[in-house]
Amino acid sequence: MADEAEETTEGQEGEEQQGSSKKKLILFGLIGLLLLGGGGGAAAYFLGLFGGGDEVATADGAPPPPPPAFFYDLPEITVNLKTIDDKEVFLKLKVALELSDEDMVKQVEPYMPRILDAFQFYLHEVRSTDLEGSAGLFRLKEELHRRINVAIYPAKVGDVLFKEVLVQ
């Protein structure tokens, strides 16, 4: 009788272990399907399989800005840069302004002497080491952008674009 009780207990434990392992197997299978389905869904989303049209979104989810309507070329600027030793270093710069429309040219042109003066004044204080690398050019671009918007206020330029930057 004791043997029968031990066999029954062992049989129940075996069935419980099989039942819990089946539960674990099903649970892991469901998790795997969810991950696979979620990954597949994410891939389909990024590949554009869920429709959405031809809109392209930027990283923050906002639609991209409309293409600029007009570019306006400034005259070429050549300045002598500041150096530690008495070497002559020149900067030749060609810049285009991104304007919202052609009518904006009428707002910018009267201020052209002020714009060129602001550029010349700033560029004479720039050292050749300030322009090293992409970070240096980025700082130059941002500073020129800021100065032009101050010069033509209340009008506003969308961006300052480098057409040519030559340090010699």
Side-chain angles (χ1 to χ4, degrees):
M1 211 173 203
D3 289 335
E4 284 180 28
E6 285 179 17
E7 285 179 22
T8 307
T9 310
E10 286 177 10
Q12 289 174 351
E13 286 176 7
E15 287 176 14
E16 285 176 11
Q17 285 178 352
Q18 282 182 344
S20 67
S21 65
K22 285 182 183 177
K23 288 178 186 177
K24 286 180 184 177
L25 184 61
I26 291 171
L27 180 64
F28 285 130
L30 287 174
I31 290 173
L33 284 174
L34 287 174
L35 289 175
L36 184 61
Y45 174 77
F46 287 115
L47 291 174
L49 299 178
F50 288 130
D54 295 332
E55 292 182 12
V56 178
T58 57
D60 61 354
F70 192 72
F71 292 104
Y72 180 73
D73 291 333
L74 292 180
E76 182 179 295
I77 300 170
T78 304
V79 293
N80 190 2
L81 297 177
K82 203 174 207 182
T83 58
I84 296 171
D85 51 6
D86 289 329
K87 268 183 11 182
E88 288 190 356
V89 178
F90 292 97
L91 170 68
K92 180 180 172 184
L93 190 63
K94 288 185 183 177
V95 175
L97 304 178
E98 181 181 330
L99 305 175
S100 58
D101 55 25
E102 274 189 74
D103 295 334
M104 209 119 158
V105 174
K106 294 174 188 168
Q107 294 176 337
V108 171
E109 279 184 340
Y111 294 103
M112 195 54 61
R114 184 179 290 169
I115 293 167
L116 294 176
D117 179 63
F119 280 16
Q120 292 277 349
F121 189 81
Y122 171 69
L123 292 172
H124 277 292
E125 293 301 316
V126 173
R127 294 182 303 265
S128 59
T129 55
D130 294 339
L131 300 177
E132 291 177 355
S134 60
L137 289 177
F138 180 77
R139 284 190 300 271
L140 175 66
K141 180 179 182 172
E142 291 298 309
E143 187 62 31
L144 294 178
H145 187 229
R146 186 187 72 76
R147 287 177 182 265
I148 195 168
N149 281 329
V150 166
I152 65 170
Y153 183 80
K156 193 170 185 181
V157 168
D159 201 2
V160 174
L161 306 168
F162 290 139
K163 293 178 77 175
E164 183 179 342
V165 178
L166 179 65
V167 179
Q168 187 177 7

